[in-house]
Amino acid sequence: MDSSRAHVVLDDADIGRAIRRIAHEIVEKSRGSQSLILLGIPTRGVALAHRIAAAISSIEGTEVPVGSLDITLYRDDLRLRPARALVPTMIPPGGIDDKTVILVDDVLYSGRSVRAALDALNDVGRPAAVQLAVLVDRGHRQLPIRPDYVGKNLPTSLVEQVRVEVAEVDGADQVTILGEGR
Amino acid sequence: MSRVLRGVRPYGEDAVDIVIADGVIAELAPAGTGVGDVIDADGLVALPGFVDLHTHLREPGREDAETVLSGSQAAALGGFTCVHAMANTNPVADTAGVVEQVWRLGQVAGLVDVRPVGAVTVGLGGERMAEIGAMAHSAAEVRVFSDDGKCVHDAVLMRRALEYVKAFDGVVAQHAQEPRLTEDAQMNEGELSGRLGLVGWPSVAEEAIIARDVLLAEHVGSWLHVCHVSTAGSVEVIRWAKARGVQVTAEVTPHHLILTEDLVTSYDPIYKVNPPLRTAADVHALREALADGTIDAIATDHAPHPHEDKDCEWAAAAMGMLGLETAFSIAMATMVEPGLLTWRELAQRMSVRPARIGRVRTQGHDLVVGAVANIAVVDPSAVRVISATDLASRSRNTPYDGMELPGRVVHTVFAGTPTVLDGALV
Amino acid sequence: MKHLLSAADLSRDDAILVLDTAAELAAVTDRSVKKLPTLRGRTVVNLFFEDSTRTRISFEVAAKRLSADVINFAAKGSSVSKGESLKDTALTLEAMGADAVVIRHGSSGAPHRLATAGWIGGSVVNAGDGTHEHPTQALLDAFTMRRHLRDGAGDLDGLHVAIVGDILHSRVARSNVLLLRTLGAHVTLVAPPTLMPYGVESWPCDVSFDIDQVLPGVDAVMMLRVQAERMHAAYFPSTLEYSRLYGLDARRMGLLPAHAIVMHPGPMNRGMEISADVADSSRAVMVEQVANGVSVRMAVLYLLLGGMKEEI
Ligand SMILES: [Zn+2]
């Protein structure tokens, strides 16, 4: 048995469809709201945030501001891993105060990254509401956090790894599972 | 009762039985034929017992670091049958009373000849001459005088001392260190000291004093001994002086034959020593000088220090390292193995010459019938890993801890009596 | 990396990581919230055997902005001044559970010893040791130069920096020569020959005794404090002669290219190595150096402690 075999669960077309569906849901849910901001969690969340914004623009014709939010300094697992380089936090002009901020990440797993992002957001300003969009929800939450928009629910075992690749970072779009043979 | 060193090879030459009786070598018999209590020495090398011109035994005053007894044990285990105990004790060995005390403690220990060195100046203060004559005429019969640790830097005082000791065939052993050029000095001055931010100890501070002293010795017709030569420049000065006929002898420490200043990069005070470790070029020059006789002797400058004086930052640490129990291995590694010295020549550097310099009549005899039986029996084929905690010295400040060194002292015979058998004190 | 003892410990990539991290941290702390939770629960000890209020405060602010607990252990008014050894102090700190010790000590190599002698398990940051090194000062100097002369990114390739003054006794100069060289800059040391370290010819930099010849070709000039006491040890005949030959005054500042900046690690001896009008001029970046010091020290603490493996 080849335990490290990679198993493609979403291809580029699937990912495109997922992003368009998330965009539609965001438009529907926030109808009437003029103050949306998409904040990607680096690295791949930022690329996904830009794509969602582009999809919203093609649906609605409106431009949604996009930024990035580095959560490194807020992580609770800093001691457990080698120190990592920081990446810029980019808040769109006008800030986040009284806006609806949608955090965008590639994979939702334990929920700890989102917890860190909420802490980081707290130091940036005071949004009216915060929502969460993820491309893949693989379960195994360790905190009371749930996504508002999900590209694909992907039940996994703990020994498996989910890898999201996006063209902007990795050269191609796909989601694979590595680990115990399926 | 007689004893037989069975099958031993004097100076690494053909195997014989050395028969020892009444404290002297009674017979050199064909191997396997000697009669007496047998000490197995099959294939081992016999050398005349080593004589150290430069040992710090720390007693009186710092018995926590070393005593005459523990230092004598370390010496015997290192193949030594005679050590010269330096004067920088507390109180300083600057009177007949102190040198006689050290001498008696040596007699009581009974493991080696302990020959006290007398201070040149009162309290090593460099100002007034100590009672050199009284020490010379004491029971200790002091012949070597030194302010070691401090330099006799006053030129007039040095001249007077050189002259004064002529009356009883003594020698002044100078610790050559120009004090003003070495204020707060921490390590050899060079590119590395600049980089490490440690105050430099320039070679010239040693060489300038040696140059002055050989000229003084020539002028007054006295005999000068130079302690622990550490630089290539000092070697040149001494070589020049000897060529001129100046009566000068010199010693080098084992550590200056093998260790270099780059060890200081660790800031580990185990490598802090006076004079400081120098460069590879200096090490090379010192080995050559020892080989060609410019430097007469290997002297350990065995300098025990308690743990707390080394377990600290560099500047706060004491200077000095242990030497007695590793000297033979270092000499073998640096001089014999590379072919710079034969066993006979090594015997000259570690026994015969230092005994002559120290005026010790019962030491440094060749291994011939009738000689006092002071003998070091060594195993050149052995390899040992040095462990600081296994040393007999009360202190642990060896720079060789964990190092693998060639050669081992197996037996030591002092005045006909074994002090060490099979690497252990008797 | 566990310790920061010497600028030589930093590869080019390491140094740029510190500078980039400092830049991000500077941006974060420019916001209204000045405190990050990053080092919550970690203890940083400032162990200062020499007085240096500015460096101590800089490290203290840096650690507190990252939410670390800070213990100041100054030589004055503690057991250190009563002759307690570095080792005993270290063992005390270890018992207190220090995750990092920031040490300033008068003996070269003391931080090295603290890191390697087995007395403590935490990280050691050298905040200046004897006449050896002061690596965080070099990092903040590089950070300042990068902001002014290289758009705040990358290395310092091609920059020419003059360091003028008491090189012999300067830990700032030693660390800067090493770090600037690592980052691709070219350094010229300027001092009277008596204040040059022995063997300086083999350092990776140029050496000059003529400041007027050097200034027209540099992008930055760093003036080092010269203590008047050096005069008594015969390093130079008088303070007047020193400032005339090696001090930076308005005339000499006029020799600098238009874009060049004037730096000083502080504290300044106005009228000695630097004239008051130069110190207060728009080219002088000393105030900024102080601010950048906090960002750089935050970056160092984050990179040393943020990634430490939990030892259980
Ligand atoms: Zn000495």
Side-chain angles (χ1 to χ4, degrees):
Chain A
M1 187 176 69
D2 176 12
S3 66
S4 67
R5 185 179 46 193
H7 173 80
V8 177
V9 287
L10 295 179
D11 62 16
D12 53 351
D14 297 331
I15 290 174
R17 271 194 297 278
I19 285 171
R20 279 195 299 281
R21 196 174 64 251
I22 290 172
H24 274 288
E25 287 175 22
I26 290 173
V27 168
E28 199 162 311
K29 187 163 180 178
S30 57
R31 183 156 291 150
S33 166
Q34 297 303 308
S35 54
L36 279 185
I37 289 183
L38 294 174
L39 287 185
I41 297 173
T43 307
R44 288 169 187 80
V46 180
L48 294 171
H50 280 284
R51 291 212 213 161
I52 293 169
I56 292 172
S57 169
S58 70
I59 298 163
E60 284 279 276
T62 56
E63 296 298 324
V64 179
V66 180
S68 63
L69 184 68
D70 184 33
I71 61 167
T72 313
L73 295 165
Y74 297 84
R75 300 186 74 102
D76 62 4
D77 61 352
L78 278 172
R79 302 180 179 217
L80 308 177
R81 300 153 184 258
R84 28 188 131 198
L86 305 182
V87 291
T89 286
M90 257 131 45
I91 304 299
I96 62 167
D97 286 358
D98 304 320
K99 309 278 175 61
T100 296
V101 172
I102 300 175
L103 296 171
V104 183
D105 206 353
D106 50 359
V107 180
L108 179 60
Y109 184 24
S110 67
R112 289 174 188 272
S113 297
V114 177
R115 203 266 325 145
L118 291 170
D119 281 354
L121 209 53
N122 207 33
D123 283 353
V124 176
R126 188 178 183 286
V130 183
Q131 298 173 356
L132 174 63
V134 297
L135 182 62
V136 171
D137 181 355
R138 61 168 293 192
H140 305 293
R141 211 80 71 243
Q142 294 165 358
L143 295 171
I145 282 170
R146 62 167 177 75
D148 299 277
Y149 314 100
V150 180
K152 170 125 179 122
N153 281 298
L154 207 59
T156 56
S157 80
L158 283 168
V159 294
E160 290 170 324
Q161 285 181 24
V162 174
R163 192 162 85 202
V164 172
E165 292 167 82
V166 295
E168 294 88 328
V169 180
D170 309 289
D173 282 353
Q174 66 173 11
V175 177
T176 48
I177 291 184
L178 298 94
E180 300 288 293
R182 270 174 167 255
Chain B
M1 188 187 76
S2 58
R3 285 193 171 85
V4 180
L5 283 170
R6 174 81 80 205
V8 77
R9 300 184 295 133
Y11 309 106
E13 294 157 11
D14 294 339
V16 296
D17 283 0
I18 298 180
V19 183
I20 300 162
D22 301 322
V24 299
I25 296 176
E27 186 189 357
L28 295 176
T33 67
V35 177
D37 277 4
V38 170
I39 301 168
D40 180 25
D42 190 36
L44 304 180
V45 172
L47 299 169
F50 305 142
V51 176
D52 192 11
L53 279 169
H54 197 142
T55 317
H56 296 275
L57 293 180
R58 300 295 186 222
E59 190 175 2
R62 286 309 300 266
E63 290 82 356
D64 57 329
E66 197 80 287
T67 62
V68 172
L69 176 60
S70 65
S72 294
Q73 291 169 336
L77 286 165
F80 289 88
T81 51
C82 176
V83 298
H84 286 74
M86 273 300 171
N88 62 338
T89 47
N90 184 17
V92 171
D94 57 1
T95 62
V98 178
V99 294
E100 285 191 355
Q101 182 196 352
V102 172
W103 178 72
R104 290 218 168 81
L105 286 167
Q107 299 260 301
V108 170
L111 293 165
V112 292
D113 276 331
V114 174
R115 301 271 302 174
V117 174
V120 175
T121 65
V122 175
L124 309 178
E127 287 175 358
R128 279 187 303 127
M129 200 187 290
E131 290 180 355
I132 288 176
M135 291 188 272
H137 293 112
S138 73
E141 293 181 59
V142 178
R143 288 295 175 272
V144 181
F145 296 88
S146 180
D147 274 2
D148 182 61
K150 299 251 179 74
C151 179
V152 182
H153 60 92
D154 182 311
V156 172
L157 201 49
M158 186 62 185
R159 172 197 173 144
R160 299 281 184 252
L162 284 168
E163 291 174 315
Y164 197 79
V165 297
K166 280 202 274 190
F168 38 80
D169 195 26
V171 63
V172 176
Q174 175 70 296
H175 171 114
Q177 180 188 355
E178 209 293 314
R180 283 280 284 154
L181 283 172
T182 50
E183 276 174 23
D184 300 323
Q186 299 292 325
M187 71 170 292
N188 180 48
E189 183 163 84
E191 191 269 333
L192 189 62
S193 64
R195 192 145 60 76
L196 296 179
L198 291 171
V199 179
W201 190 312
S203 301
V204 64
E206 177 174 311
E207 294 152 6
I209 293 292
I210 296 175
R212 182 199 73 178
D213 286 352
V214 295
L215 292 170
L216 275 177
E218 178 178 47
H219 181 64
V220 299
S222 288
W223 168 40
L224 167 76
H225 179 70
V226 183
C227 294
H228 42 53
V229 171
S230 73
T231 78
S234 298
V235 166
E236 283 310 304
V237 173
I238 294 164
R239 192 172 277 138
W240 172 86
K242 283 192 166 182
R244 259 171 93 89
V246 178
Q247 298 178 76
V248 57
T249 53
E251 68 188 35
V252 62
T253 70
H255 46 272
H256 286 111
L257 290 173
I258 192 165
L259 305 179
T260 52
E261 60 168 1
D262 43 286
L263 292 163
V264 181
T265 307
S266 67
Y267 288 106
D268 185 341
I270 199 76
Y271 302 114
K272 186 174 176 182
V273 64
N274 174 353
L277 300 180
R278 305 283 189 184
T279 67
D282 292 307
V283 167
H284 181 76
L286 292 168
R287 290 185 187 185
E288 298 265 287
L290 185 63
D292 71 20
T294 302
I295 292 175
D296 302 81
I298 293 175
T300 64
D301 197 2
H302 179 81
H305 289 291
H307 185 60
E308 61 269 23
D309 287 352
K310 288 289 189 181
D311 195 26
C312 56
E313 65 273 24
W314 183 273
M319 290 181 275
M321 38 183 72
L322 299 182
L324 287 170
E325 293 172 75
T326 46
F328 168 71
S329 288
I330 303 296
M332 191 182 141
T334 59
M335 302 303 296
V336 180
E337 284 193 333
L340 290 168
L341 290 179
T342 63
W343 289 117
R344 272 188 188 273
E345 289 164 337
L346 184 73
Q348 287 286 320
R349 307 300 189 272
M350 290 191 74
S351 179
V352 179
R353 293 291 298 152
R356 301 263 162 80
I357 292 167
R359 298 295 189 259
V360 196
R361 286 182 307 275
T362 56
Q363 296 281 345
H365 295 186
D366 283 333
L367 298 174
V368 295
V369 173
V372 175
N374 290 316
I375 305 171
V377 179
V378 300
D379 181 0
S381 66
V383 171
R384 62 179 178 145
V385 176
I386 305 300
S387 164
T389 50
D390 290 349
L391 299 177
S393 171
R394 281 211 166 177
S395 295
R396 297 282 168 265
N397 55 308
T398 174
Y400 311 113
D401 188 35
M403 267 176 74
E404 193 178 87
L405 293 176
R408 188 172 80 97
V409 175
V410 183
H411 313 304
T412 307
V413 178
F414 169 55
T417 306
T419 52
V420 171
L421 287 175
D422 222 353
L425 290 164
V426 174
Chain C
M1 194 168 63
K2 178 161 183 198
H3 309 293
L4 179 60
L5 305 175
S6 160
D9 296 345
L10 299 167
S11 69
R12 180 182 171 282
D13 287 350
D14 292 337
I16 289 176
L17 175 62
V18 175
L19 299 183
D20 288 349
T21 303
E24 293 302 333
L25 289 166
V28 170
T29 51
D30 274 349
R31 301 189 319 237
S32 55
V33 179
K34 290 223 185 300
K35 198 152 171 146
L36 293 160
T38 317
L39 298 182
R40 197 155 46 202
R42 323 300 299 278
T43 301
V44 174
V45 175
N46 282 323
L47 179 57
F48 276 57
F49 288 82
E50 283 185 345
D51 262 344
S52 175
T53 312
R54 42 172 62 234
T55 304
R56 206 248 309 138
I57 289 178
S58 182
F59 271 105
E60 185 173 351
V61 170
K64 285 183 170 167
R65 283 195 184 164
L66 291 171
S67 300
D69 295 323
V70 179
I71 299 172
N72 287 314
F73 212 94
K76 291 219 166 77
S78 77
S79 55
V80 173
S81 53
K82 295 173 202 136
E84 188 174 273
S85 71
L86 175 61
K87 180 188 176 182
D88 290 334
T89 307
L91 295 178
T92 305
L93 300 180
E94 179 71 355
M96 288 176 185
D99 295 294
V101 177
V102 176
I103 176 174
R104 162 70 64 100
H105 200 286
S107 299
S108 301
H112 204 283
R113 199 72 188 122
L114 191 60
T116 57
W119 303 328
I120 62 167
S123 292
V124 176
V125 180
N126 182 357
D129 62 327
T131 55
H132 179 222
E133 284 213 45
H134 193 358
T136 59
Q137 176 72 40
L139 284 163
L140 78 87
D141 289 335
F143 186 83
T144 307
M145 285 182 236
R146 197 172 80 149
R147 276 209 160 167
H148 278 272
L149 304 165
R150 282 291 180 271
D151 295 330
D155 61 15
L156 299 176
D157 191 33
L159 276 193
H160 184 193
V161 181
I163 303 177
V164 184
D166 185 357
I167 312 291
L168 177 63
H169 299 97
S170 175
R171 46 198 172 209
V172 176
R174 280 171 182 76
S175 287
N176 261 297
V177 167
L178 293 167
L179 184 69
L180 288 170
R181 160 81 171 194
T182 299
L183 289 171
H186 175 73
V187 177
T188 301
L189 299 175
V190 183
T194 46
L195 290 177
M196 286 288 186
Y198 188 89
V200 72
E201 314 78 47
S202 54
W203 288 22
C205 59
D206 283 339
V207 170
S208 169
F209 308 129
D210 184 352
I211 186 172
D212 289 333
Q213 208 173 41
V214 172
L215 290 182
V218 303
D219 302 292
V221 58
M222 190 181 300
M223 304 305 296
L224 300 177
R225 179 178 170 81
V226 175
Q227 294 176 327
E229 306 87 81
R230 304 289 179 217
M231 182 180 75
H232 305 304
Y235 287 105
F236 50 86
S238 70
T239 54
L240 186 66
E241 173 156 323
Y242 180 86
S243 63
R244 211 180 275 148
L245 289 174
Y246 296 97
L248 187 64
D249 57 11
R251 179 190 69 79
R252 287 210 167 104
M253 192 165 68
L255 298 173
L256 290 167
H259 67 276
I261 56 172
V262 175
M263 310 176 72
H264 194 299
M268 287 183 277
N269 263 336
R270 288 172 186 247
M272 179 76 174
E273 71 270 3
I274 191 164
S275 69
D277 47 351
V278 173
D280 297 331
S281 78
S282 60
R283 291 171 161 229
V285 297
M286 277 70 99
V287 174
E288 207 184 309
Q289 282 175 275
V290 173
N292 293 340
V294 174
S295 303
V296 160
R297 286 167 181 134
M298 285 174 77
V300 167
L301 291 173
Y302 162 65
L303 291 169
L304 291 182
L305 290 182
M308 198 194 292
K309 283 252 165 66
E310 190 120 3
E311 279 153 75
I312 299 169

PDB file of all heavy atoms in Angstrom, chain B residues 54 56 148-150 175 227-228 274-275 301, ligand 1:
ATOM      1  N   HIS B  54      59.421  23.540  36.395  1.00  0.00           N
ATOM      2  CA  HIS B  54      58.413  24.597  36.563  1.00  0.00           C
ATOM      3  C   HIS B  54      57.071  23.993  36.962  1.00  0.00           C
ATOM      4  O   HIS B  54      56.259  23.636  36.124  1.00  0.00           O
ATOM      5  CB  HIS B  54      58.286  25.358  35.227  1.00  0.00           C
ATOM      6  CG  HIS B  54      57.624  26.680  35.356  1.00  0.00           C
ATOM      7  ND1 HIS B  54      58.037  27.777  34.627  1.00  0.00           N
ATOM      8  CD2 HIS B  54      56.583  27.103  36.098  1.00  0.00           C
ATOM      9  CE1 HIS B  54      57.264  28.811  34.930  1.00  0.00           C
ATOM     10  NE2 HIS B  54      56.377  28.422  35.813  1.00  0.00           N
ATOM     11  N   HIS B  56      53.756  24.384  39.812  1.00  0.00           N
ATOM     12  CA  HIS B  56      53.099  25.134  40.888  1.00  0.00           C
ATOM     13  C   HIS B  56      52.374  24.129  41.779  1.00  0.00           C
ATOM     14  O   HIS B  56      51.407  23.513  41.347  1.00  0.00           O
ATOM     15  CB  HIS B  56      52.119  26.161  40.318  1.00  0.00           C
ATOM     16  CG  HIS B  56      52.797  27.227  39.512  1.00  0.00           C
ATOM     17  ND1 HIS B  56      53.345  28.363  40.067  1.00  0.00           N
ATOM     18  CD2 HIS B  56      53.041  27.328  38.182  1.00  0.00           C
ATOM     19  CE1 HIS B  56      53.881  29.118  39.121  1.00  0.00           C
ATOM     20  NE2 HIS B  56      53.712  28.512  37.963  1.00  0.00           N
ATOM     21  N   ASP B 148      58.424  33.848  39.233  1.00  0.00           N
ATOM     22  CA  ASP B 148      57.469  33.393  38.215  1.00  0.00           C
ATOM     23  C   ASP B 148      56.024  33.773  38.537  1.00  0.00           C
ATOM     24  O   ASP B 148      55.568  33.645  39.672  1.00  0.00           O
ATOM     25  CB  ASP B 148      57.533  31.883  38.029  1.00  0.00           C
ATOM     26  CG  ASP B 148      56.586  31.455  36.938  1.00  0.00           C
ATOM     27  OD1 ASP B 148      56.777  31.905  35.810  1.00  0.00           O
ATOM     28  OD2 ASP B 148      55.623  30.724  37.239  1.00  0.00           O
ATOM     29  N   GLY B 149      55.343  34.172  37.479  1.00  0.00           N
ATOM     30  CA  GLY B 149      54.021  34.785  37.616  1.00  0.00           C
ATOM     31  C   GLY B 149      54.170  36.289  37.466  1.00  0.00           C
ATOM     32  O   GLY B 149      53.313  36.963  36.933  1.00  0.00           O
ATOM     33  N   LYS B 150      55.308  36.768  37.938  1.00  0.00           N
ATOM     34  CA  LYS B 150      55.687  38.170  37.768  1.00  0.00           C
ATOM     35  C   LYS B 150      57.068  38.203  37.124  1.00  0.00           C
ATOM     36  O   LYS B 150      57.881  37.314  37.321  1.00  0.00           O
ATOM     37  CB  LYS B 150      55.766  38.867  39.131  1.00  0.00           C
ATOM     38  CG  LYS B 150      54.467  38.886  39.910  1.00  0.00           C
ATOM     39  CD  LYS B 150      53.901  40.298  39.938  1.00  0.00           C
ATOM     40  CE  LYS B 150      52.591  40.367  40.695  1.00  0.00           C
ATOM     41  NZ  LYS B 150      52.826  40.259  42.144  1.00  0.00           N
ATOM     42  N   HIS B 175      60.530  35.022  34.302  1.00  0.00           N
ATOM     43  CA  HIS B 175      59.205  35.019  33.653  1.00  0.00           C
ATOM     44  C   HIS B 175      59.173  36.308  32.833  1.00  0.00           C
ATOM     45  O   HIS B 175      58.990  37.390  33.363  1.00  0.00           O
ATOM     46  CB  HIS B 175      58.115  34.996  34.730  1.00  0.00           C
ATOM     47  CG  HIS B 175      56.729  35.205  34.212  1.00  0.00           C
ATOM     48  ND1 HIS B 175      55.760  34.235  34.262  1.00  0.00           N
ATOM     49  CD2 HIS B 175      56.140  36.277  33.632  1.00  0.00           C
ATOM     50  CE1 HIS B 175      54.636  34.707  33.733  1.00  0.00           C
ATOM     51  NE2 HIS B 175      54.836  35.953  33.351  1.00  0.00           N
ATOM     52  N   CYS B 227      62.035  31.130  31.443  1.00  0.00           N
ATOM     53  CA  CYS B 227      60.860  30.276  31.638  1.00  0.00           C
ATOM     54  C   CYS B 227      59.984  30.291  30.384  1.00  0.00           C
ATOM     55  O   CYS B 227      59.989  31.250  29.615  1.00  0.00           O
ATOM     56  CB  CYS B 227      60.016  30.786  32.812  1.00  0.00           C
ATOM     57  SG  CYS B 227      60.825  30.663  34.405  1.00  0.00           S
ATOM     58  N   HIS B 228      59.222  29.263  30.235  1.00  0.00           N
ATOM     59  CA  HIS B 228      58.146  29.143  29.239  1.00  0.00           C
ATOM     60  C   HIS B 228      58.220  30.090  28.028  1.00  0.00           C
ATOM     61  O   HIS B 228      57.403  30.973  27.861  1.00  0.00           O
ATOM     62  CB  HIS B 228      56.766  29.256  29.891  1.00  0.00           C
ATOM     63  CG  HIS B 228      56.644  30.327  30.951  1.00  0.00           C
ATOM     64  ND1 HIS B 228      56.980  31.637  30.744  1.00  0.00           N
ATOM     65  CD2 HIS B 228      56.203  30.239  32.227  1.00  0.00           C
ATOM     66  CE1 HIS B 228      56.743  32.328  31.854  1.00  0.00           C
ATOM     67  NE2 HIS B 228      56.277  31.491  32.766  1.00  0.00           N
ATOM     68  N   ASN B 274      49.327  31.908  31.041  1.00  0.00           N
ATOM     69  CA  ASN B 274      50.369  32.927  30.983  1.00  0.00           C
ATOM     70  C   ASN B 274      51.716  32.237  30.844  1.00  0.00           C
ATOM     71  O   ASN B 274      52.083  31.465  31.727  1.00  0.00           O
ATOM     72  CB  ASN B 274      50.329  33.756  32.273  1.00  0.00           C
ATOM     73  CG  ASN B 274      51.466  34.766  32.374  1.00  0.00           C
ATOM     74  OD1 ASN B 274      52.371  34.789  31.548  1.00  0.00           O
ATOM     75  ND2 ASN B 274      51.431  35.593  33.402  1.00  0.00           N
ATOM     76  N   PRO B 275      52.472  32.506  29.783  1.00  0.00           N
ATOM     77  CA  PRO B 275      52.130  33.326  28.624  1.00  0.00           C
ATOM     78  C   PRO B 275      50.997  32.708  27.811  1.00  0.00           C
ATOM     79  O   PRO B 275      50.749  31.517  27.914  1.00  0.00           O
ATOM     80  CB  PRO B 275      53.437  33.360  27.824  1.00  0.00           C
ATOM     81  CG  PRO B 275      54.248  32.222  28.312  1.00  0.00           C
ATOM     82  CD  PRO B 275      53.845  31.964  29.707  1.00  0.00           C
ATOM     83  N   ASP B 301      54.995  23.948  33.685  1.00  0.00           N
ATOM     84  CA  ASP B 301      54.224  25.086  34.198  1.00  0.00           C
ATOM     85  C   ASP B 301      52.850  24.601  34.686  1.00  0.00           C
ATOM     86  O   ASP B 301      51.832  25.255  34.498  1.00  0.00           O
ATOM     87  CB  ASP B 301      54.068  26.197  33.157  1.00  0.00           C
ATOM     88  CG  ASP B 301      53.648  27.528  33.802  1.00  0.00           C
ATOM     89  OD1 ASP B 301      53.529  27.572  35.040  1.00  0.00           O
ATOM     90  OD2 ASP B 301      53.442  28.502  33.059  1.00  0.00           O
TER      91      ASP B 301
HETATM   92 ZN    ZN D   1      55.487  32.029  34.503  1.00  0.00          ZN
END
